[in-house]
Amino acid sequence: MNQSHRRPEICSLCALVCELPDGSTESPRLDGFCSKQARLKPFVPIRLQSIQLQVSQDDAALTKVTQRIEQASAILVSGRIHSVESARSAIELANRFSATIDPWDSDGAFDAIASLQRVGGYSVSLGEARDHSDLWIVVGDDRLLEQTPRLPFAMHRGGSQRLLLLGTWSDASVRIWQAAGFEVLCLSVCVEGVPKYLSQATRLGQDHCQTELGKWILQAQYTTILYSPWALQVTYRDLWSDLLSRWVLTRNETARIATLCWGSLQSTFHQTCTWLTGFPGRIHFDNQQAFYDPNRFAAKDWCRRQDSGDQIARRSLLLWIDDSLDELPDELVEQNIPKLIIGPNQNKLACPSDLWLPTGIMGVTHSANIFRGDQTILAKIPVEGRGSPTHYLSPSDWVGRLLR
Amino acid sequence: MRVTRLKNVRIVDGLQGSSRPTDLYILDKTLARKIPADLRIDADYDLENHVVMAGGIDIHTHIGGGKVNLARLLWPERSKKLDDQKPWLAPLSAPVPGTWETGRRYLQMGYTTCFEPAMLPANARQSHIEMRDTPWLDTGGYVVLGNDRMLLNMLASRASQQQVNDYVAWMVVSSAAMAIKVVNAGGIDAFKFNQRQLNVDETHPQLPVTPRDILWSLSTAAEELGLAHPLHVHCSNLGTPGNIDSTLATLDAVEGRRIHLTHAQYHCYGKSGPHGFSSEASKLADRVNRSNHISIDVGQVLFGQTITLSADTMHQFANRKLASPRKQIFQDLECQAGCGLLPFKYKESQYVHGLQWAIGLELFLRIQDPKRVFLTTDHPNGGPFTGYPHLIRLLMDYDFRMSIFDRLHRDVKATSSLPSLKREYRLDEIASITRLGPARALGLQQRGHLSPGSIADVVVYRNDDNAETMFANPVMVFRRGQLVLRNGEILDDCPKTVLVSEFETRSVAMQWGNHSSHREQWEKLYGYSPWLTALTDQEFADEGLDVEHALWQPAD
């Protein structure tokens, strides 16, 4: 294969996996990064330097970690797992030690999955919607743009495209959507009722439709409804998704419309776990078999259960695998469960007995495969020519050593 | 050099006679019939009353990629093992299991090479990574073209065939593909514009292009490039009564170029008979028998619960009310294709399902050359791949076949011609439809047979009057000379290989993505550069995979 081609630099720090503009290839990868996490950028070199110092002690650390794992009566593997490589390792680790596994903050994803498993749905990928959709309906609030600021620009193909914003959007956000090139109609509505509004707005057909919302939908050739489960202020996200999906499926009998459920970086874990085990997460391994129970094996519930008594907590272990730059969640720091952290951040360790195996950053110091938020494209983020990654172990390197 | 001798075995590979017992040698990773006298034998197995075949090759099985993973997600329920005494006959834990179970169950039947037939270019990396995580199997994939807007725009603007060839070459290489597959040519894209049917000579709703144009152009590209496998075609009007007309029109559209018709069972229906649904298998079989350039895989229906999944959103959506249980997933994907998934239960008591079962068998039994009809269930669409031993018994045992036929809907029994087909497959014919034929159709010169020098993927079966028991439970499986399975127990892991198509201009095919006008068109359509989704050999090396290049050669 001829390798003399121009491969793009790809940002790995949000679910858009954007290609960085030409010319940025000589500058640090994080220069092209634009989301709210960018403020962590100045700390990255310091952090990596400290990692370099710690790695020399890895043999002693490994012995300690192995002992701790062997002594634990219950283990949860969790964290912020954003790459195929880390996901594979986390699952292998959970399998080997008969642990429960579920990424942190997976409630949004599992509400969407629950709906998919009950009803199904009709969805569209970002590239298809970008090229084909003449009406976008975006449901949610400003958090969508905080997490993925370039999303409006990735959605707009140029030319005239209509966009309905439903939910709670600030003027600044509306201006961003407009700057991307959309003709925007913003309706401040309670997101809870959106499936019902959409259904009612289109019930009477084009000739009798009274609302602007209904007219826009009925005039459109192909409508895309974009939302993100983690940015939905509704009581029961799964039931909300059920209603929306049912309406979309029915509407497709005569027209064309689809949803675009925008996932977080953690989608990569759910995809990888699904192909390896047949389940998207929230599984418990016993005797090399995976048992799936989305209600029983949620990471946060597991921690709450283990934290209910001092003795139980001390005997359990949280194996935290982190591909992100974020600190450990506050609610976790407050809990008594011993923790083993495999990630780039030392974090605010709760107990003196907590352990940290420092790593580089997937997609920055180590090559990584990461899914785009629509889970259609799996981007390979290589790190050739970016300094030797051998100074820092990746989470999968550590897991490999642990398992050996 | 490690030498293994399989003594007193009966060699059955569809090439050589299969009469008296002989010795077969494995020299490291390849096969030999004789060895120098001074060579020490490291492992010696006396296998009297055993049959040796090459590792099985599944030419069409959905084992990796976006829609396969969605199917796993859609079906979280797990079945229990039905028979602890015969675990190899246990059902899959789910219609589409995880990768580890998939690899294990294929190996336990003696299959060593499998092909994912519907890789979207945008999703090719995921397909390959999933297949990489499917142990014990060498794998490859076919890239789905024919609904991609780049190609449709090229055809609409009357681009030259050379331009089409260059684009196809890029798609094949950048997706690390073995072949091109077309699914309902133009129909998936037409459905995105709310058109519900597209016949072979009907024009796309937005572009002056017909499915016939697409089929002609892609089959020409496959032939002129010299791809290892011919155009792999899922015809228009899947599952629709009367679709035999569009199937024959599809075969006409390629004007004598090589073509592989996939899951043909779903494409040879008439609309006569008591329920407006009838078999036209004889028409298709007759065409195949008369045309050396056509091969098919059957897509046999097996009774039970499964999930149907297809890139053919148009027809999957049309069938959505048949979903059992009532849930379904559809996607429109990346200006390239789509997918639709429906849980589905094939019932013996249901007229259409019973007739589909009979039509598949008719095709197997009416097509005379077993090197041009291949055994598939289009896993999981017609049923799980673990049903292959059962299917082999159906082909080898008339009485067994009729014992099931007798349980079908009375109108199937009244109208099907299956009872008159007394043919029973011989072992060498089974070897052809599961090994030799697929290998030849895919340009895998060193696989699918047991000739000296070929790859030592070898399966040993104990002779048994019950073909289902025999083929469900191989005694030994060797992968590249390494014994990896014995009496159902897996002994070891083994290296894996990705199979891709070789062709003359392969080394320069990737230059297409550097051409500024191509990049501009691509970026305008997709919003990112062609290189975002393109795969490189280095990625496979990083994943610990070898890459093998398949090369088409005309049959003797």
Side-chain angles (χ1 to χ4, degrees):
Chain A
M1 190 181 291
N2 184 356
Q3 305 284 358
S4 62
H5 42 67
R6 282 183 290 167
R7 295 218 152 249
E9 286 281 306
I10 301 165
C11 173
S12 59
L13 301 178
C14 103
L16 257 183
V17 287
C18 293
E19 292 174 278
L20 304 180
D22 283 352
S24 64
T25 50
E26 294 306 314
S27 57
R29 176 181 303 273
L30 296 180
D31 276 3
F33 184 49
C34 55
S35 89
K36 68 171 187 179
Q37 294 185 57
R39 64 176 178 268
L40 294 168
K41 188 174 77 170
F43 301 110
V44 170
I46 301 165
R47 193 174 291 140
L48 294 184
Q49 206 173 5
S50 70
I51 288 167
Q52 219 170 331
L53 294 172
Q54 294 272 348
V55 167
S56 59
Q57 302 163 11
D58 62 353
D59 284 345
L62 268 177
T63 310
K64 209 169 170 185
V65 166
T66 311
Q67 283 170 355
R68 182 69 58 79
I69 292 175
E70 282 167 357
Q71 286 162 5
S73 60
I75 301 173
L76 171 71
V77 179
S78 188
R80 304 187 189 94
I81 305 169
H82 299 166
S83 63
V84 170
E85 292 74 9
S86 296
R88 277 176 179 153
S89 300
I91 292 160
E92 201 181 346
L93 199 61
N95 187 17
R96 180 70 72 87
F97 294 110
S98 297
T100 302
I101 183 164
D102 180 38
W104 201 252
D105 275 335
S106 63
D107 289 349
F110 272 92
D111 285 338
I113 288 166
S115 174
L116 200 69
Q117 290 177 338
R118 275 198 301 264
V119 178
Y122 204 124
S123 62
V124 60
S125 73
L126 179 62
E128 178 72 47
R130 176 186 176 277
D131 183 60
H132 188 43
S133 206
D134 55 350
L135 173 63
W136 287 84
I137 300 174
V138 181
V139 186
D141 54 42
D142 293 349
R143 285 177 297 167
L144 187 65
L145 295 185
E146 285 168 17
Q147 287 293 325
T148 46
R150 289 199 65 255
L151 185 59
F153 302 90
M155 287 160 53
H156 191 261
R157 69 166 175 267
S160 169
Q161 263 180 301
R162 285 175 156 184
L163 183 133
L164 273 169
L165 285 174
L166 302 179
T168 314
W169 298 90
S170 66
D171 290 345
S173 285
V174 174
R175 279 196 296 275
I176 292 172
W177 290 105
Q178 286 167 334
F182 288 105
E183 180 193 343
V184 179
L185 175 64
C186 181
L187 300 177
S188 183
V189 297
C190 170
V191 171
E192 194 94 50
V194 163
K196 204 169 151 190
Y197 305 145
L198 293 172
S199 170
Q200 284 175 344
T202 51
R203 187 168 294 161
L204 296 174
Q206 203 160 340
D207 294 342
H208 305 284
C209 182
Q210 301 293 315
T211 64
E212 198 69 9
L213 172 68
K215 282 178 189 159
W216 276 32
I217 296 172
L218 292 167
Q219 283 165 12
Q221 301 297 309
Y222 193 104
T223 304
T224 299
I225 304 170
L226 184 141
Y227 67 96
S228 197
W230 43 262
L232 272 186
Q233 293 277 22
V234 296
T235 318
Y236 299 108
R237 276 178 298 219
D238 57 336
L239 299 181
W240 186 91
S241 295
D242 284 2
L243 282 175
L244 184 67
S245 295
R246 284 203 179 94
W247 175 70
V248 167
L249 280 165
T250 307
R251 183 133 185 83
N252 270 300
E253 287 173 2
T254 52
R256 292 313 327 271
I257 184 166
T259 58
L260 203 171
C261 179
W262 187 254
S264 67
L265 276 168
Q266 219 140 251
S267 312
T268 302
F269 173 84
H270 299 304
Q271 286 282 343
T272 310
C273 193
T274 303
W275 78 63
L276 286 174
T277 68
F279 305 113
R282 296 195 172 175
I283 49 182
H284 179 73
F285 284 97
D286 189 10
N287 199 18
Q288 308 274 312
Q289 264 198 298
F291 295 90
Y292 172 63
D293 189 337
N295 302 310
R296 219 171 119 212
F297 301 137
K300 289 182 181 176
D301 292 345
W302 187 96
C303 288
R304 269 194 289 273
R305 278 200 303 273
Q306 300 301 317
D307 198 39
S308 57
D310 262 7
Q311 281 208 327
I312 299 173
R314 273 201 300 274
R315 286 201 305 269
S316 50
L317 178 67
L318 170 62
L319 281 167
W320 182 268
I321 295 180
D322 214 324
D323 285 341
S324 81
L325 296 169
D326 289 345
E327 294 285 327
L328 210 60
D330 287 343
E331 58 191 300
L332 206 50
V333 173
E334 289 157 13
Q335 289 176 345
N336 288 326
I337 303 164
K339 298 165 198 73
L340 163 62
I341 295 160
I342 305 175
N345 269 324
Q346 185 168 16
N347 290 294
K348 297 167 272 184
L349 298 178
C351 316
S353 59
D354 286 349
L355 299 168
W356 173 44
L357 295 177
T359 68
I361 302 164
M362 297 305 291
V364 178
T365 59
H366 290 80
S367 296
N369 284 287
I370 295 176
F371 273 95
R372 194 172 67 182
D374 62 353
Q375 299 170 59
T376 301
I377 287 179
L378 179 59
K380 169 81 176 181
I381 301 165
V383 293
E384 310 107 41
R386 188 153 296 284
S388 168
T390 52
H391 290 127
Y392 328 104
L393 296 182
S394 67
S396 49
D397 292 334
W398 275 117
V399 171
R401 288 179 176 208
L402 274 172
L403 295 179
R404 275 200 299 276
Chain B
M1 178 182 287
R2 184 175 168 78
V3 181
T4 303
R5 178 167 62 179
L6 308 180
K7 255 169 70 179
N8 296 321
V9 290
R10 187 176 157 207
I11 292 175
V12 180
D13 68 356
L15 277 179
Q16 37 240 317
S18 55
S19 50
R20 62 191 180 86
T22 185
D23 293 349
L24 183 68
Y25 295 90
I26 300 173
L27 305 183
D28 278 343
K29 296 178 180 177
T30 54
L31 294 174
R33 287 300 169 82
K34 289 179 185 159
I35 57 167
D38 58 340
L39 218 53
R40 190 171 63 90
I41 293 170
D42 299 288
D44 206 6
Y45 301 99
D46 192 343
L47 295 168
E48 203 180 341
N49 199 32
H50 286 72
V51 167
V52 174
M53 291 189 178
I57 298 172
D58 198 337
I59 196 168
H60 190 108
T61 173
H62 295 278
I63 54 169
K67 65 180 177 299
V68 177
N69 227 23
L70 270 176
R72 295 182 181 115
L73 201 62
L74 186 63
W75 196 271
E77 301 84 3
R78 286 296 176 268
S79 62
K80 294 193 176 84
K81 277 186 185 173
L82 290 183
D83 188 347
D84 284 343
Q85 300 304 310
K86 296 178 182 173
W88 57 89
L89 291 178
L92 289 172
S93 65
V96 185
T99 49
W100 193 83
E101 185 177 348
T102 302
R104 178 173 61 86
R105 295 302 296 268
Y106 261 117
L107 185 75
Q108 286 174 329
M109 296 192 308
Y111 272 71
T112 54
T113 309
C114 290
F115 291 90
E116 162 56 52
M119 261 183 351
L120 245 61
N123 193 238
R125 182 172 284 113
Q126 180 183 354
S127 296
H128 282 293
I129 286 187
E130 280 188 41
M131 289 192 278
R132 178 263 181 222
D133 284 344
T134 308
W136 300 294
L137 297 179
D138 289 344
T139 54
Y142 315 146
V143 63
V144 175
L145 300 178
N147 284 282
D148 46 323
R149 267 175 222 143
M150 283 290 284
L151 178 73
L152 298 183
N153 289 335
M154 288 170 88
L155 297 182
S157 63
R158 303 293 176 243
S160 71
Q161 185 61 37
Q162 186 57 49
Q163 288 172 303
V164 172
N165 292 356
D166 292 345
Y167 167 73
V168 170
W170 151 265
M171 281 302 215
V172 169
V173 179
S174 66
S175 306
M178 183 74 192
I180 316 164
K181 185 191 188 191
V182 60
V183 179
N184 184 6
I188 302 169
D189 199 60
F191 183 56
K192 291 171 181 171
F193 293 91
N194 207 15
Q195 184 152 323
R196 306 283 159 154
Q197 195 173 2
L198 192 70
N199 276 313
V200 176
D201 289 306
E202 224 170 321
T203 306
H204 183 282
Q206 296 291 313
L207 299 163
V209 180
T210 65
R212 185 181 293 274
D213 299 333
I214 298 166
L215 291 160
W216 187 90
S217 185
L218 286 177
S219 63
T220 304
E223 191 146 300
E224 291 185 357
L225 289 169
L227 298 183
H229 183 54
L231 185 62
H232 194 96
V233 181
H234 160 142
C235 297
S236 318
N237 299 318
L238 173 111
T240 310
N243 65 9
I244 185 66
D245 293 339
S246 53
T247 300
L248 296 177
T250 297
L251 295 175
D252 291 340
V254 301
E255 297 178 359
R257 288 174 190 83
R258 292 169 70 216
I259 182 169
H260 178 84
L261 195 62
T262 192
H263 40 71
Q265 177 277 128
Y266 291 101
H267 298 284
C268 52
Y269 302 150
K271 46 186 174 186
S272 58
H275 302 268
F277 183 83
S278 55
S279 170
E280 293 292 359
S282 61
K283 273 191 189 167
L284 180 59
D286 185 47
R287 174 63 72 90
V288 175
N289 285 334
R290 286 189 286 111
S291 317
N292 285 332
H293 65 284
I294 303 172
S295 59
I296 71 159
D297 66 83
V298 169
Q300 176 67 34
V301 157
L302 299 172
F303 298 113
Q305 177 72 55
T306 191
I307 291 179
T308 66
L309 51 85
S310 173
D312 193 346
T313 345
M314 178 187 265
H315 289 100
Q316 287 290 82
F317 191 81
N319 290 329
R320 82 179 187 94
K321 290 190 173 156
L322 302 176
S324 172
R326 280 286 175 97
K327 52 183 179 181
Q328 57 257 289
I329 298 177
F330 304 97
Q331 291 190 324
D332 290 334
L333 292 166
E334 216 63 6
C335 313
Q336 291 176 345
C339 78
L341 294 91
L342 308 176
F344 201 84
K345 193 164 190 174
Y346 292 103
K347 297 175 187 161
E348 287 179 356
S349 57
Q350 222 269 7
Y351 171 78
V352 171
H353 303 172
L355 197 61
Q356 286 178 312
W357 178 88
I359 288 169
L361 293 174
E362 263 194 80
L363 285 173
F364 277 117
L365 298 168
R366 288 184 186 281
I367 293 174
Q368 285 148 12
D369 182 358
K371 289 190 274 301
R372 288 193 291 120
V373 53
F374 311 137
L375 185 142
T376 65
T377 57
D378 184 19
H379 165 80
N381 288 308
F385 63 82
T386 45
Y388 288 178
H390 171 78
L391 177 52
I392 290 171
R393 187 178 178 199
L394 288 171
L395 297 175
M396 294 185 77
D397 185 339
Y398 177 82
D399 291 339
F400 178 64
R401 194 155 72 220
M402 284 304 104
S403 71
I404 293 177
F405 183 79
D406 287 342
R407 303 203 297 252
L408 302 184
H409 189 283
R410 64 175 187 278
D411 290 337
V412 176
K413 288 190 275 187
T415 56
S416 171
S417 63
L418 192 66
S420 68
L421 298 169
K422 301 276 175 64
R423 180 178 172 191
E424 291 181 331
Y425 267 62
R426 301 183 311 266
L427 274 180
D428 63 304
E429 291 177 317
I430 295 298
S432 288
I433 63 173
T434 56
R435 277 111 170 135
L436 183 63
R440 282 194 168 173
L442 290 159
L444 304 172
Q445 310 299 332
Q446 305 303 320
R447 293 172 190 251
H449 57 88
L450 300 171
S451 303
S454 58
I455 291 172
D457 284 354
V458 177
V459 191
V460 181
Y461 296 105
R462 187 179 292 112
N463 257 327
D464 197 312
D465 290 341
N466 183 330
E468 184 169 355
T469 306
M470 176 174 164
F471 282 95
N473 187 26
V475 176
M476 292 177 181
V477 181
F478 293 86
R479 286 280 285 110
R480 297 213 170 216
Q482 181 191 352
L483 183 61
V484 291
L485 179 138
R486 190 158 193 188
N487 296 323
E489 189 189 344
I490 291 171
L491 305 175
D492 211 347
D493 207 348
C494 62
K496 284 171 59 70
T497 300
V498 177
L499 296 143
V500 299
S501 179
E502 185 55 82
F503 55 96
E504 201 181 330
T505 56
R506 183 180 178 86
S507 61
V508 294
M510 292 291 259
Q511 286 173 9
W512 187 94
N514 282 335
H515 198 284
S516 58
S517 70
H518 299 154
R519 284 178 71 108
E520 277 168 29
Q521 288 169 45
W522 187 285
E523 282 168 17
K524 189 173 174 221
L525 192 63
Y526 294 105
Y528 48 82
S529 85
W531 297 102
L532 182 72
T533 51
L535 287 138
T536 63
D537 282 357
Q538 186 57 44
E539 289 184 50
F540 294 116
D542 291 346
E543 292 272 350
L545 299 166
D546 293 329
V547 178
E548 182 180 323
H549 294 246
L551 185 63
W552 179 69
Q553 282 179 354
D556 301 336

